[in-house]
Amino acid sequence: MTVAELLSDPRTDREAGEMKALVGELYPIPRSITGEGLRRTLQAIGRRIPLRFTEVPSGTPVLDWTIPNEWNVADAYVARTRGERVIDFRASNLHLVGYSVPIRRRVPLAELKEHLFSLPDHPDWIPYRTSYYQPNWGFCVTRKQLESLTDPEYDVVIDTTLTQGSLTYAECLLPGETGEEVLLSCHACHPSLANDNLSGIALATSLARLLDGARRRYTYRFLFAPGTIGAIAWLARNEEAVRRIRAGLVIACVGDAGPIHYKKSRRGDAAVDRAAAHVLRASGRAHRIVEFSPYGYDERQYCSPGFDLPVGSLTRTPHGCFPEYHTSADDLGFISARWLGESLRCYLHVIDVVENNRRYRNTNPHCEPQLGRRGLYRAIGGSPSPGRSEMALLWVLNLSDGATDLLAIADRAQLDFDTVRDAADLLCSHRLLEETV
Ligand code: ZN
């Protein structure tokens, strides 16, 4: 089965429900950039696709960074002095600022308030905050919770550990006909947030499961790693694999109802950039293509100047551009199987184009070859304009100079990629075209 055939296979339709179910299963797990929640998340993915785990010990230098201590949470709450919990990690793992240091003491209200974060404009939402690299503690609360705190002092208990451990990431490698790689990367470090993080994990899992059953020209590497530090650790430890990357996509925010966005790689004109732009234009659906910027998800690392990899990012509404972003409102109701399914199809379309985008050389470049003699051109002349498939034959013959790829031909001819690819296949079978590498 080819990637193109996957697009009309009923298994692809079924993955929409599977993705929603996986997000639901992972949603309650408290995650961070290290720790047991991250491991449990990766283990759940590993029950669906083959995964190889890597543990990088705390203190390991990775490029300009150092793997932090491992953080785990046993319990965390703020209670009235009589014992009643008023802020409770067990009610929502977003309540605790990520990487909070342990503390157990009675705190005056004024001091407590210096460690509380809320959203003035959204009284019922809990924000998501972290403090990975500066020792601190804090709680995230709804504005209503904040306003209800009127006692002179409260008991604060943060039962966390920050100890020598390791950072975990996991990879699914699907070998192809060539060792050249396509990298599909998603961050796996956010706690109960559905669109930012879990939707990307679920899409990557389903995409890996589908591609595992397809014929592949490229080798596919799926990376599930904590944001920033995980991608940096992987890049620091995989010089060989980095050299083999020919295309890549950072997967995030793929479950909301917004239009699909493609953010170009730093190069701006890599094959994956042109493939995504072509697929989105041909889809006829609302979409946006945005230029690279050194902000966002782990494309920041893949597209840093020392690596400059051809890695873009395909999302629905981008990070920071929806009000629910990094709040408790990015919950299971914010995403749907329908939008996850549509996003998965978009990824398959882009991968299909990347898989089939090749360069050819016209073996008969001096004037047009006689197509009618070969049954490739209509027998009756005089019609005012040729059909699309005949135009595709003429464009492919004219532009196949060994350097111009099929995507560039499709874009210049304003034809869809499939028509151009079919023309190239037909010309190859008549030995009028040969593939160049
Ligand atoms: Zn985020």
Side-chain angles (χ1 to χ4, degrees), residues 363-386:
T363 59
N364 192 95
H366 298 99
C367 295
E368 291 175 357
Q370 196 179 358
L371 297 178
R373 170 160 66 82
R374 297 173 171 90
L376 299 177
Y377 208 79
R378 65 184 183 280
I380 310 293
S383 162
S385 61

Side-chain angles (χ1 to χ4, degrees), residues 16-95:
E18 296 287 332
M19 287 187 280
K20 186 78 200 282
L22 179 56
V23 172
E25 180 183 329
L26 300 179
Y27 184 77
I29 300 176
R31 267 169 298 273
S32 188
I33 55 172
T34 62
E36 283 306 318
L38 175 61
R39 276 188 203 100
R40 276 169 56 202
T41 299
L42 299 176
Q43 283 157 3
I45 300 164
R47 287 193 286 275
R48 289 164 170 84
I49 55 172
L51 278 191
R52 190 180 68 195
F53 286 71
T54 300
E55 298 280 352
V56 189
S58 305
T60 305
V62 285
L63 301 171
D64 194 45
W65 296 58
T66 304
I67 301 295
N69 277 337
E70 183 175 324
W71 185 67
N72 284 291
V73 187
D75 197 6
Y77 60 89
V78 174
R80 305 182 78 169
T81 53
R82 295 191 306 273
E84 177 200 348
R85 293 188 181 205
V86 290
I87 305 166
D88 191 352
F89 177 75
R90 294 183 303 199
S92 167
N93 57 44
L94 293 175
H95 277 315

Side-chain angles (χ1 to χ4, degrees), residues 261-281:
H261 281 63
Y262 178 72
K263 177 182 171 182
K264 292 182 187 176
S265 74
R266 180 177 183 268
R267 300 181 187 183
D269 62 350
V272 67
D273 298 323
R274 294 182 291 120
H278 186 93
V279 164
L280 291 178
R281 265 199 312 273

Side-chain angles (χ1 to χ4, degrees), residues 52 171-176 178-184 217-222 234 238 240-248 310-311 354-355:
R52 190 180 68 195
E171 293 162 275
C172 171
L173 196 70
L174 305 175
T178 76
E180 296 183 319
E181 292 197 5
V182 175
L183 174 69
L184 293 146
R217 174 180 164 210
Y218 288 113
T219 290
Y220 286 79
R221 184 185 298 269
F222 289 81
W234 185 83
N238 287 276
E240 281 295 310
V242 164
R243 274 197 280 275
R244 294 193 293 266
I245 293 173
R246 297 293 174 268
V311 175
V354 168
E355 280 272 309

Side-chain angles (χ1 to χ4, degrees), residues 187 190 196 297 325-326:
H187 62 297
H190 289 17
D196 178 14
Y297 294 111
Y325 172 78
H326 280 191

Side-chain angles (χ1 to χ4, degrees), residues 12 75 99 146 182 204-205 208 216 221 225 233 257 264 272 334 398:
T12 301
D75 197 6
Y99 262 68
L146 181 68
V182 175
T205 305
R216 300 175 298 272
R221 184 185 298 269
K264 292 182 187 176
V272 67
F334 184 63
N398 189 282

